[in-house]
């Protein structure tokens, strides 16, 4: 009986005796009409049905060209390839992995784990209806295991509502949706087992402040959402204990909120400027306005709180950043502000952001020169679907020389961002802190074999 009383749809009828009152004349009682489906419908069912269209399967392929030496090839032994081994020569080895993700913005921005897409040459995002799209890597942070992808779907996509992880309770119900072992759109439920857990995944990487849950998470769930019973995103599933059962971990959504403005970096990416800075913690309060900027021209004032951009509600600086996605210089946006307890609406005309000189910044900061990889260059190296910049010159004893970069290396990631052109490199380097080391990922051809190398360029000062 208790399980029914907990269901708000179950009719609870209290029969009280009539004292000193004549029984009223009533019609014959009629049986109550209850939909059995509603009695079976739980919060987990609601959350899954409301959120499943925003959860995606991510299929990643890493293509490696290897040199074989026939039947005794050590590489064949390492990759444990089935069937008859090929003769000596060059061949491709494909590694395919699956993971999960979720749509952050209707324009096609998808969040997943960094380890799901790191070192991948091809990525596909697959929806529950079977539609799939090629995905570009927008930004990646391996230290916090988060990445952002971009797809072009041609229509507005379903998104998840972002919650908060600051008020999570041990024991509250949580729901995970993902693609464990390739079984797409699998839902599991459990509780929050503990908060603020720390795990070490390598000698150089550890994750802190994680949510521990007993909701069943398996390989392939990585990057998928952990949701509360309201269907709000509270975490990003990231790891499991392989030697245990029902011990999984998720990155709190507040960590994602803190990192997303830097990963998205909308003003840099779309070459626009507002000329104002919003508070990063709490409401989207204006804390700085540049003189002569679009914000000043629109009449914004310090301590104004942005509550809406066009028709999009704004509760944080991240909401403001997301509302600017896909806009361009010259666009007019309606901004609603809370000022002195009253609402004020103004029009903000987005300014243009000058495009940085990537070639100059590469030389000044790292002592290297580069050019965009074209189809001819890629074909000569035996590569396909490769974007990046190829190093054409390295100054002796420069930051690039110190870590062992070589002429002919192709840089495709810098500072956690995808690098497809010199413009991309310039956009990353224009905000680089010279006193801070910067991660780098390169492809290097040795004979007819392609290697991926990752490292860190040490702190340096420009010349």
């Amino acid at each position: 009986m208790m399980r029914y009383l907990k269901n708000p749809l179950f009719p609870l009828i209290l029969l009280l005796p009539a004292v000193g009152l004549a029984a009223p004349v009533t019609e014959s009682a009629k049986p109550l009409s209850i939909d059995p489906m509603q009695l079976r419908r739980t919060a987990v069912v609601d959350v899954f049905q409301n959120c499943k269209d925003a959860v995606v399967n991510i299929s990643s392929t890493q293509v490696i060209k290897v040199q074989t030496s026939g039947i005794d090839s050590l590489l064949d032994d390492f990759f444990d390839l089935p069937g008859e081994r090929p003769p000596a020569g060059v061949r491709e080895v494909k590694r395919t992995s699956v993971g999960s993700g979720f749509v952050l913005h209707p324009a096609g921005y998808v969040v997943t784990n960094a380890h799901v897409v790191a070192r991948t040459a091809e990525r596909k995002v697959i929806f529950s209806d079977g539609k799939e799209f090629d995905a570009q890597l927008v930004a990646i942070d391996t230290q916090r295991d988060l990445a952002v992808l971009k797809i072009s779907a041609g229509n507005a996509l379903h998104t998840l509502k972002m919650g908060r992880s600051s008020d999570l309770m041990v024991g509250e119900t949580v729901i995970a949706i993902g693609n464990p072992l390739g079984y797409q759109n699998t839902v599991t439920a459990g509780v929050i087992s503990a908060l603020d857990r720390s795990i070490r995944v390598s000698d150089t990487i550890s994750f802190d402040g994680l949510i521990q849950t007993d909701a069943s998470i398996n390989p392939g769930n990585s990057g998928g959402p952990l949701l509360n019973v309201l269907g709000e995103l509270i975490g990003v599933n990231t790891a499991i204990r392989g030697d245990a059962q029902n011990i999984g971990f998720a990155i709190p959504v507040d960590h994602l909120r803190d990192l997303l403005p830097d990963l998205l970096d909308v003003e840099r990416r779309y070459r626009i400027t507002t000329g104002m800075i919003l508070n990063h913690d709490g409401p989207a309060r204006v804390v700085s306005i540049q003189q002569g900027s679009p914000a000043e021209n629109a009449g914004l004032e310090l301590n104004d709180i942005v509550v809406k951009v066009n028709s999009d509600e704004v509760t944080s600086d991240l909401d403001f950043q997301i509302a600017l996605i896909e806009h361009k210089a010259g666009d007019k946006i309606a901004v609603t502000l809370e000022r002195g307890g009253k609402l004020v609406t103004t029009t903000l005309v987005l300014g243009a952001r000058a495009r940085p000189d990537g070639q100059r910044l590469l030389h000044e900061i790292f002592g290297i020169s580069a050019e965009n990889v074209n189809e001819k260059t890629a074909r000569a190296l035996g590569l396909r679907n490769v974007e990046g910049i190829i190093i054409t010159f390295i100054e002796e004893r420069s930051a690039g020389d110190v870590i062992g970069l070589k002429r002919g290396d192709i840089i495709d990631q810098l500072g956690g961002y995808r690098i497809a052109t010199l413009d991309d490199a310039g956009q990353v380097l224009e905000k680089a802190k010279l006193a801070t080391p910067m991660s780098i990922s390169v492809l290097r051809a040795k004979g007819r074999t392609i290697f991926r190398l990752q490292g860190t360029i040490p702190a340096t000062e420009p010349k």
Side-chain angles (χ1 to χ4, degrees), residues 23-335:
V25 178
T26 61
E27 296 180 2
S28 300
K30 296 180 180 180
L32 294 173
S33 176
I34 303 174
D35 183 357
M37 292 291 289
Q38 290 301 319
L39 288 177
R40 293 164 48 196
R41 192 179 187 90
T42 65
V44 176
V45 174
D46 283 334
V47 169
F48 175 72
Q49 293 190 354
N50 291 333
C51 298
K52 63 181 178 64
D53 290 337
V55 181
V56 299
N57 174 27
I58 298 176
S59 176
S60 302
T61 302
Q62 182 179 13
V63 181
I64 307 172
K65 282 185 176 292
V66 297
Q67 179 74 42
T68 64
S69 58
I71 195 166
D72 295 325
S73 172
L74 293 177
L75 286 173
D76 286 341
D77 293 335
F78 178 78
F79 288 115
D80 193 23
L81 299 172
E84 184 178 355
R85 299 187 178 187
V90 176
R91 60 180 172 79
E92 288 185 345
V93 173
K94 289 187 177 182
R95 288 178 175 174
T96 302
S97 60
V98 295
S100 304
F102 56 90
V103 180
L104 173 73
H105 188 272
Y109 286 82
V110 174
V111 172
T112 186
N113 283 148
H115 75 258
V116 171
V117 294
R119 304 186 182 186
T120 57
E122 300 172 2
R123 295 160 295 273
K124 288 189 179 295
V125 167
I126 306 169
F127 287 82
S128 58
D129 61 3
K131 292 181 180 177
E132 60 180 60
F133 304 91
D134 291 331
Q136 290 184 333
L137 181 62
V138 171
I140 187 168
D141 188 322
T142 55
Q143 293 298 317
R144 282 168 282 195
D145 201 24
L146 290 168
V148 177
L149 307 177
K150 176 68 168 66
I151 64 173
S152 298
N155 59 278
L157 300 172
H158 292 279
T159 63
L160 293 183
K161 181 180 180 181
M162 294 184 70
R164 290 285 184 181
S165 50
S166 56
D167 61 353
L168 296 179
M169 299 175 289
V170 174
E172 74 169 287
T173 299
V174 290
I175 299 140
I177 306 177
N179 306 283
L181 304 175
Y183 293 107
Q184 192 164 355
N185 267 62
T186 294
V187 61
T188 57
V191 300
I192 293 178
S193 305
L195 296 170
D196 201 24
R197 292 299 200 200
S198 297
I199 60 173
R200 178 166 290 278
V201 296
S202 72
D203 292 338
T204 58
I205 298 178
S206 62
F207 303 140
D208 300 316
L210 299 180
I211 303 167
Q212 181 184 330
T213 179
D214 70 347
S216 183
I217 296 174
N218 290 283
N221 275 111
S222 291
L226 188 68
L227 308 154
N228 62 20
V229 294
L230 302 178
E232 297 172 332
L233 177 74
I234 61 167
V236 182
N237 298 320
T238 189
I240 59 173
R241 278 295 299 263
D243 58 347
Q245 291 184 345
N246 299 328
I247 298 181
F249 301 95
I251 301 166
V253 70
D254 286 355
H255 291 196
L256 175 63
R257 281 182 176 273
D258 291 342
L259 188 61
L260 270 175
D262 184 58
L263 286 176
L264 292 175
D265 204 357
V266 174
E267 292 197 18
R268 177 188 63 81
R269 193 170 304 283
Y270 293 102
R271 311 313 303 171
I272 59 177
T273 182
T274 62
M276 65 178 178
I277 298 175
L278 301 179
N279 179 41
H280 291 309
D281 186 20
R285 186 185 305 274
V286 179
V287 295
S288 175
I289 297 177
Q290 185 178 352
Q291 187 175 2
S293 68
E296 185 182 63
N297 295 338
L300 274 81
E301 300 177 2
L302 292 178
N303 294 318
D304 282 348
I305 298 176
V306 181
V307 296
K308 186 179 289 188
V309 172
N310 293 330
S311 60
D312 297 325
E313 299 290 335
V314 174
T315 61
S316 67
D317 68 318
L318 175 60
D319 294 334
F320 181 74
Q321 291 271 335
I322 290 176
L324 294 181
I325 286 177
E326 300 292 316
H327 279 287
K328 61 183 182 299
D331 283 356
K332 298 178 180 180
I333 60 175
V335 180

Side-chain angles (χ1 to χ4, degrees), residues 376-427:
K376 180 179 179 181
T377 303
R379 189 167 56 248
L381 293 172
L383 299 172
R384 58 174 182 169
N385 300 325
V386 170
E387 294 179 321
I389 56 176
I390 186 167
I391 297 175
T392 57
F393 170 80
I394 300 181
E395 187 175 310
E396 289 186 11
R397 293 185 293 278
S398 66
D401 184 45
V402 167
I403 68 165
L405 292 178
K406 297 181 180 298
R407 185 173 178 272
D409 285 348
I410 295 176
I411 301 174
D412 63 355
Q413 290 179 32
L414 192 59
Y417 293 94
R418 179 182 67 92
I419 301 299
T421 65
L422 284 169
D423 281 346
D424 292 337
Q427 291 174 30

Side-chain angles (χ1 to χ4, degrees), residues 365-366 398-400 402-403 434-438 456-461:
I365 298 175
F366 301 137
S398 66
V402 167
I403 68 165
L434 301 181
T436 303
M438 176 171 288
T456 301
I457 296 182
T460 184
E461 293 294 335

